Amino acid sequence: MTDHGFSAEEIDTSRPHPARMYDYYLGGRDNYEVDRAAAERVIGEIPEIRPTAQANRAFLRRAVKFVVESGIRQVVDIGTGIPTSPNTHEVAQAVSPDVRVAYVDNDPIVASHAGARLTGTSNTSFALADVRKPESVLEHPGIRKVIDFDEPVALLLVAVLHFVRDEEEPGRIVATLAEALPAGSHLVLSHGTADFHPDGFPTAVQVYQSATATLNTRSYAHILPFFDGFELLEPGLVQVPLWRPEGPPLSDEELGRIGFYGGVGRKS
């Protein structure tokens, strides 16, 4: 099921787009020269951005597997980005084939890939919508086709809120989305931080200022309140490689380069 709702003229290839830059960090090919040039500037300042993006993607896979194993059968993945296999529905349906997944993104480029790579079954859908307008996200027919908000839902906000400016009230956005979720729902959230980079990312911030969304890293203390109203499950809000890791642990030096926090909360 797809609901693109855009024309080719709406696809902006004149400015870098965070979803396409993220695709480049992950080694994907669904990006343009303007995205690659911008991403290389970021890599020049933050060479660990590629392993950081990969660690964040691995967190998403582990968290989705966890919530489905916990009994969740509905997932809303907001800010899904360019499809990267295994995608959310592939991870979820490998655990339980009856899981329904609604993808949401505000980039028409993502929508152009949704039909072929995200919405191949009756249990998946795509909505072209913006997290900055949470009410419209919740009411979008592309979500309502597969999601029943009377039953528990896993809400994924993975690597998306750091593209929301403070004046756009990310806390209000999360609270509005959370209010629509019934008891037993889960929030899966990750967010970029400069906590481990004392000098910040001046070049990266400048690059994203010329992109279609700005970069707004936040500290642990500013990210934690996004889980208000949820029981933060073990091990809490941690750097993403530390959230229920699989495989060998990272060294302290490797871990110190991962500027992403992630966590999973349950609504009681």
mmCIF file of all heavy atoms in Angstrom, residues 91-125:
data_model
loop_
_atom_site.group_PDB
_atom_site.id
_atom_site.type_symbol
_atom_site.label_atom_id
_atom_site.label_comp_id
_atom_site.label_asym_id
_atom_site.label_seq_id
_atom_site.Cartn_x
_atom_site.Cartn_y
_atom_site.Cartn_z
ATOM 1 N N VAL A 91 12.664 -7.148 9.593
ATOM 2 C CA VAL A 91 13.105 -7.574 10.920
ATOM 3 C C VAL A 91 11.914 -8.049 11.746
ATOM 4 O O VAL A 91 11.950 -9.118 12.371
ATOM 5 C CB VAL A 91 13.832 -6.423 11.646
ATOM 6 C CG1 VAL A 91 14.183 -6.827 13.074
ATOM 7 C CG2 VAL A 91 15.079 -6.005 10.894
ATOM 8 N N ALA A 92 10.842 -7.257 11.734
ATOM 9 C CA ALA A 92 9.665 -7.576 12.553
ATOM 10 C C ALA A 92 8.991 -8.852 12.079
ATOM 11 O O ALA A 92 8.641 -9.729 12.893
ATOM 12 C CB ALA A 92 8.685 -6.408 12.512
ATOM 13 N N GLN A 93 8.804 -8.987 10.784
ATOM 14 C CA GLN A 93 8.056 -10.131 10.258
ATOM 15 C C GLN A 93 8.883 -11.410 10.274
ATOM 16 O O GLN A 93 8.324 -12.506 10.164
ATOM 17 C CB GLN A 93 7.529 -9.808 8.870
ATOM 18 C CG GLN A 93 6.447 -8.735 8.905
ATOM 19 C CD GLN A 93 6.035 -8.213 7.549
ATOM 20 O OE1 GLN A 93 6.524 -8.673 6.512
ATOM 21 N NE2 GLN A 93 5.128 -7.244 7.523
ATOM 22 N N ALA A 94 10.196 -11.296 10.425
ATOM 23 C CA ALA A 94 11.016 -12.487 10.622
ATOM 24 C C ALA A 94 10.724 -13.120 11.979
ATOM 25 O O ALA A 94 10.863 -14.334 12.157
ATOM 26 C CB ALA A 94 12.498 -12.139 10.510
ATOM 27 N N VAL A 95 10.304 -12.283 12.936
ATOM 28 C CA VAL A 95 9.922 -12.781 14.263
ATOM 29 C C VAL A 95 8.479 -13.251 14.254
ATOM 30 O O VAL A 95 8.147 -14.323 14.779
ATOM 31 C CB VAL A 95 10.129 -11.690 15.330
ATOM 32 C CG1 VAL A 95 9.685 -12.195 16.715
ATOM 33 C CG2 VAL A 95 11.579 -11.234 15.374
ATOM 34 N N SER A 96 7.592 -12.449 13.647
ATOM 35 C CA SER A 96 6.175 -12.778 13.585
ATOM 36 C C SER A 96 5.596 -12.235 12.278
ATOM 37 O O SER A 96 5.509 -11.015 12.112
ATOM 38 C CB SER A 96 5.422 -12.180 14.780
ATOM 39 O OG SER A 96 4.061 -12.531 14.758
ATOM 40 N N PRO A 97 5.222 -13.089 11.349
ATOM 41 C CA PRO A 97 4.784 -12.635 10.024
ATOM 42 C C PRO A 97 3.547 -11.748 10.028
ATOM 43 O O PRO A 97 3.276 -11.074 9.023
ATOM 44 C CB PRO A 97 4.497 -13.956 9.282
ATOM 45 C CG PRO A 97 5.307 -14.979 10.004
ATOM 46 C CD PRO A 97 5.302 -14.552 11.437
ATOM 47 N N ASP A 98 2.799 -11.716 11.138
ATOM 48 C CA ASP A 98 1.564 -10.932 11.166
ATOM 49 C C ASP A 98 1.766 -9.490 11.603
ATOM 50 O O ASP A 98 0.809 -8.732 11.730
ATOM 51 C CB ASP A 98 0.525 -11.597 12.072
ATOM 52 C CG ASP A 98 0.998 -11.737 13.520
ATOM 53 O OD1 ASP A 98 2.219 -11.717 13.752
ATOM 54 O OD2 ASP A 98 0.137 -11.878 14.411
ATOM 55 N N VAL A 99 3.009 -9.074 11.829
ATOM 56 C CA VAL A 99 3.272 -7.694 12.245
ATOM 57 C C VAL A 99 2.937 -6.744 11.095
ATOM 58 O O VAL A 99 3.285 -6.976 9.938
ATOM 59 C CB VAL A 99 4.740 -7.506 12.667
ATOM 60 C CG1 VAL A 99 5.017 -6.042 13.017
ATOM 61 C CG2 VAL A 99 5.072 -8.397 13.854
ATOM 62 N N ARG A 100 2.271 -5.638 11.450
ATOM 63 C CA ARG A 100 1.912 -4.606 10.475
ATOM 64 C C ARG A 100 2.804 -3.382 10.704
ATOM 65 O O ARG A 100 2.989 -2.962 11.849
ATOM 66 C CB ARG A 100 0.435 -4.229 10.609
ATOM 67 C CG ARG A 100 -0.488 -5.430 10.427
ATOM 68 C CD ARG A 100 -1.957 -5.042 10.414
ATOM 69 N NE ARG A 100 -2.391 -4.335 11.594
ATOM 70 C CZ ARG A 100 -2.706 -4.909 12.750
ATOM 71 N NH1 ARG A 100 -2.587 -6.230 12.909
ATOM 72 N NH2 ARG A 100 -3.119 -4.190 13.776
ATOM 73 N N VAL A 101 3.318 -2.822 9.626
ATOM 74 C CA VAL A 101 4.272 -1.708 9.717
ATOM 75 C C VAL A 101 3.817 -0.560 8.830
ATOM 76 O O VAL A 101 3.565 -0.759 7.634
ATOM 77 C CB VAL A 101 5.689 -2.148 9.309
ATOM 78 C CG1 VAL A 101 6.654 -0.955 9.377
ATOM 79 C CG2 VAL A 101 6.186 -3.287 10.202
ATOM 80 N N ALA A 102 3.723 0.626 9.410
ATOM 81 C CA ALA A 102 3.449 1.849 8.662
ATOM 82 C C ALA A 102 4.713 2.703 8.676
ATOM 83 O O ALA A 102 5.220 3.063 9.740
ATOM 84 C CB ALA A 102 2.286 2.619 9.286
ATOM 85 N N TYR A 103 5.222 2.994 7.493
ATOM 86 C CA TYR A 103 6.398 3.845 7.352
ATOM 87 C C TYR A 103 5.956 5.285 7.102
ATOM 88 O O TYR A 103 4.980 5.535 6.394
ATOM 89 C CB TYR A 103 7.243 3.390 6.168
ATOM 90 C CG TYR A 103 7.927 2.058 6.344
ATOM 91 C CD1 TYR A 103 7.409 0.905 5.768
ATOM 92 C CD2 TYR A 103 9.108 1.950 7.060
ATOM 93 C CE1 TYR A 103 8.051 -0.324 5.893
ATOM 94 C CE2 TYR A 103 9.756 0.733 7.206
ATOM 95 C CZ TYR A 103 9.223 -0.398 6.616
ATOM 96 O OH TYR A 103 9.872 -1.608 6.746
ATOM 97 N N VAL A 104 6.724 6.222 7.665
ATOM 98 C CA VAL A 104 6.427 7.644 7.495
ATOM 99 C C VAL A 104 7.722 8.378 7.179
ATOM 100 O O VAL A 104 8.733 8.182 7.860
ATOM 101 C CB VAL A 104 5.797 8.256 8.769
ATOM 102 C CG1 VAL A 104 5.454 9.729 8.537
ATOM 103 C CG2 VAL A 104 4.570 7.471 9.205
ATOM 104 N N ASP A 105 7.694 9.231 6.161
ATOM 105 C CA ASP A 105 8.830 10.096 5.884
ATOM 106 C C ASP A 105 8.315 11.308 5.119
ATOM 107 O O ASP A 105 7.273 11.245 4.464
ATOM 108 C CB ASP A 105 9.907 9.374 5.075
ATOM 109 C CG ASP A 105 11.283 10.006 5.267
ATOM 110 O OD1 ASP A 105 11.547 11.063 4.664
ATOM 111 O OD2 ASP A 105 12.096 9.450 6.035
ATOM 112 N N ASN A 106 9.066 12.409 5.202
ATOM 113 C CA ASN A 106 8.641 13.625 4.509
ATOM 114 C C ASN A 106 9.391 13.851 3.209
ATOM 115 O O ASN A 106 9.254 14.900 2.575
ATOM 116 C CB ASN A 106 8.809 14.856 5.417
ATOM 117 C CG ASN A 106 10.271 15.217 5.660
ATOM 118 O OD1 ASN A 106 11.170 14.390 5.468
ATOM 119 N ND2 ASN A 106 10.512 16.442 6.094
ATOM 120 N N ASP A 107 10.192 12.863 2.787
ATOM 121 C CA ASP A 107 10.985 13.014 1.573
ATOM 122 C C ASP A 107 10.346 12.252 0.417
ATOM 123 O O ASP A 107 10.205 11.030 0.476
ATOM 124 C CB ASP A 107 12.397 12.474 1.816
ATOM 125 C CG ASP A 107 13.327 12.712 0.628
ATOM 126 O OD1 ASP A 107 12.876 13.313 -0.365
ATOM 127 O OD2 ASP A 107 14.496 12.301 0.705
ATOM 128 N N PRO A 108 9.943 12.948 -0.662
ATOM 129 C CA PRO A 108 9.367 12.254 -1.812
ATOM 130 C C PRO A 108 10.287 11.203 -2.419
ATOM 131 O O PRO A 108 9.818 10.241 -3.016
ATOM 132 C CB PRO A 108 9.087 13.389 -2.802
ATOM 133 C CG PRO A 108 8.921 14.603 -1.947
ATOM 134 C CD PRO A 108 9.891 14.412 -0.816
ATOM 135 N N ILE A 109 11.615 11.394 -2.265
ATOM 136 C CA ILE A 109 12.547 10.381 -2.762
ATOM 137 C C ILE A 109 12.310 9.058 -2.040
ATOM 138 O O ILE A 109 12.317 7.979 -2.638
ATOM 139 C CB ILE A 109 14.007 10.837 -2.579
ATOM 140 C CG1 ILE A 109 14.346 11.975 -3.547
ATOM 141 C CG2 ILE A 109 14.962 9.668 -2.768
ATOM 142 C CD1 ILE A 109 14.470 11.548 -4.989
ATOM 143 N N VAL A 110 12.098 9.126 -0.724
ATOM 144 C CA VAL A 110 11.798 7.912 0.041
ATOM 145 C C VAL A 110 10.502 7.298 -0.474
ATOM 146 O O VAL A 110 10.399 6.076 -0.670
ATOM 147 C CB VAL A 110 11.701 8.222 1.541
ATOM 148 C CG1 VAL A 110 11.284 6.974 2.322
ATOM 149 C CG2 VAL A 110 13.023 8.758 2.070
ATOM 150 N N ALA A 111 9.508 8.148 -0.703
ATOM 151 C CA ALA A 111 8.221 7.653 -1.197
ATOM 152 C C ALA A 111 8.380 6.946 -2.532
ATOM 153 O O ALA A 111 7.701 5.950 -2.808
ATOM 154 C CB ALA A 111 7.233 8.812 -1.324
ATOM 155 N N SER A 112 9.296 7.432 -3.367
ATOM 156 C CA SER A 112 9.470 6.835 -4.681
ATOM 157 C C SER A 112 9.991 5.412 -4.600
ATOM 158 O O SER A 112 9.822 4.621 -5.530
ATOM 159 C CB SER A 112 10.412 7.695 -5.531
ATOM 160 O OG SER A 112 11.745 7.603 -5.079
ATOM 161 N N HIS A 113 10.657 5.080 -3.491
ATOM 162 C CA HIS A 113 11.183 3.732 -3.304
ATOM 163 C C HIS A 113 10.219 2.839 -2.515
ATOM 164 O O HIS A 113 10.422 1.621 -2.453
ATOM 165 C CB HIS A 113 12.510 3.781 -2.545
ATOM 166 C CG HIS A 113 13.628 4.403 -3.317
ATOM 167 N ND1 HIS A 113 14.316 3.733 -4.318
ATOM 168 C CD2 HIS A 113 14.179 5.634 -3.243
ATOM 169 C CE1 HIS A 113 15.244 4.531 -4.820
ATOM 170 N NE2 HIS A 113 15.182 5.687 -4.184
ATOM 171 N N ALA A 114 9.214 3.431 -1.916
ATOM 172 C CA ALA A 114 8.376 2.688 -0.971
ATOM 173 C C ALA A 114 7.625 1.546 -1.636
ATOM 174 O O ALA A 114 7.526 0.448 -1.078
ATOM 175 C CB ALA A 114 7.389 3.641 -0.286
ATOM 176 N N GLY A 115 7.063 1.794 -2.831
ATOM 177 C CA GLY A 115 6.257 0.770 -3.472
ATOM 178 C C GLY A 115 7.031 -0.505 -3.730
ATOM 179 O O GLY A 115 6.535 -1.604 -3.505
ATOM 180 N N ALA A 116 8.269 -0.359 -4.196
ATOM 181 C CA ALA A 116 9.050 -1.528 -4.569
ATOM 182 C C ALA A 116 9.731 -2.200 -3.385
ATOM 183 O O ALA A 116 9.937 -3.412 -3.390
ATOM 184 C CB ALA A 116 10.103 -1.128 -5.601
ATOM 185 N N ARG A 117 10.061 -1.415 -2.346
ATOM 186 C CA ARG A 117 10.957 -1.956 -1.328
ATOM 187 C C ARG A 117 10.401 -1.939 0.094
ATOM 188 O O ARG A 117 10.989 -2.554 0.989
ATOM 189 C CB ARG A 117 12.280 -1.188 -1.380
ATOM 190 C CG ARG A 117 12.982 -1.396 -2.725
ATOM 191 C CD ARG A 117 14.054 -0.364 -2.995
ATOM 192 N NE ARG A 117 15.141 -0.440 -2.044
ATOM 193 C CZ ARG A 117 16.179 0.399 -2.052
ATOM 194 N NH1 ARG A 117 16.249 1.352 -2.968
ATOM 195 N NH2 ARG A 117 17.135 0.290 -1.156
ATOM 196 N N LEU A 118 9.307 -1.237 0.326
ATOM 197 C CA LEU A 118 8.762 -1.172 1.685
ATOM 198 C C LEU A 118 7.334 -1.684 1.789
ATOM 199 O O LEU A 118 6.903 -2.083 2.864
ATOM 200 C CB LEU A 118 8.807 0.274 2.213
ATOM 201 C CG LEU A 118 10.182 0.897 2.413
ATOM 202 C CD1 LEU A 118 10.030 2.333 2.912
ATOM 203 C CD2 LEU A 118 11.024 0.083 3.385
ATOM 204 N N THR A 119 6.595 -1.641 0.712
ATOM 205 C CA THR A 119 5.155 -1.897 0.817
ATOM 206 C C THR A 119 4.718 -3.032 -0.101
ATOM 207 O O THR A 119 3.711 -2.948 -0.776
ATOM 208 C CB THR A 119 4.362 -0.625 0.495
ATOM 209 O OG1 THR A 119 4.695 -0.189 -0.830
ATOM 210 C CG2 THR A 119 4.670 0.468 1.483
ATOM 211 N N GLY A 120 5.478 -4.106 -0.083
ATOM 212 C CA GLY A 120 5.176 -5.210 -0.970
ATOM 213 C C GLY A 120 4.125 -6.175 -0.468
ATOM 214 O O GLY A 120 3.745 -7.101 -1.173
ATOM 215 N N THR A 121 3.643 -5.985 0.768
ATOM 216 C CA THR A 121 2.629 -6.882 1.314
ATOM 217 C C THR A 121 1.469 -6.066 1.857
ATOM 218 O O THR A 121 1.562 -4.845 2.039
ATOM 219 C CB THR A 121 3.196 -7.748 2.456
ATOM 220 O OG1 THR A 121 3.346 -6.937 3.639
ATOM 221 C CG2 THR A 121 4.549 -8.328 2.083
ATOM 222 N N SER A 122 0.382 -6.747 2.176
ATOM 223 C CA SER A 122 -0.794 -6.067 2.726
ATOM 224 C C SER A 122 -0.565 -5.593 4.152
ATOM 225 O O SER A 122 -1.372 -4.844 4.699
ATOM 226 C CB SER A 122 -2.004 -7.009 2.689
ATOM 227 O OG SER A 122 -1.745 -8.175 3.460
ATOM 228 N N ASN A 123 0.533 -6.024 4.762
ATOM 229 C CA ASN A 123 0.818 -5.657 6.147
ATOM 230 C C ASN A 123 1.707 -4.426 6.273
ATOM 231 O O ASN A 123 2.148 -4.093 7.373
ATOM 232 C CB ASN A 123 1.477 -6.822 6.888
ATOM 233 C CG ASN A 123 0.491 -7.911 7.257
ATOM 234 O OD1 ASN A 123 -0.715 -7.718 7.151
ATOM 235 N ND2 ASN A 123 1.002 -9.050 7.690
ATOM 236 N N THR A 124 2.009 -3.756 5.155
ATOM 237 C CA THR A 124 2.844 -2.561 5.219
ATOM 238 C C THR A 124 2.206 -1.425 4.431
ATOM 239 O O THR A 124 1.437 -1.649 3.501
ATOM 240 C CB THR A 124 4.255 -2.823 4.646
ATOM 241 O OG1 THR A 124 4.150 -3.215 3.280
ATOM 242 C CG2 THR A 124 4.986 -3.896 5.437
ATOM 243 N N SER A 125 2.532 -0.198 4.836
ATOM 244 C CA SER A 125 2.045 0.977 4.124
ATOM 245 C C SER A 125 3.068 2.091 4.257
ATOM 246 O O SER A 125 3.988 2.008 5.081
ATOM 247 C CB SER A 125 0.686 1.444 4.669
ATOM 248 O OG SER A 125 0.832 1.996 5.963
#
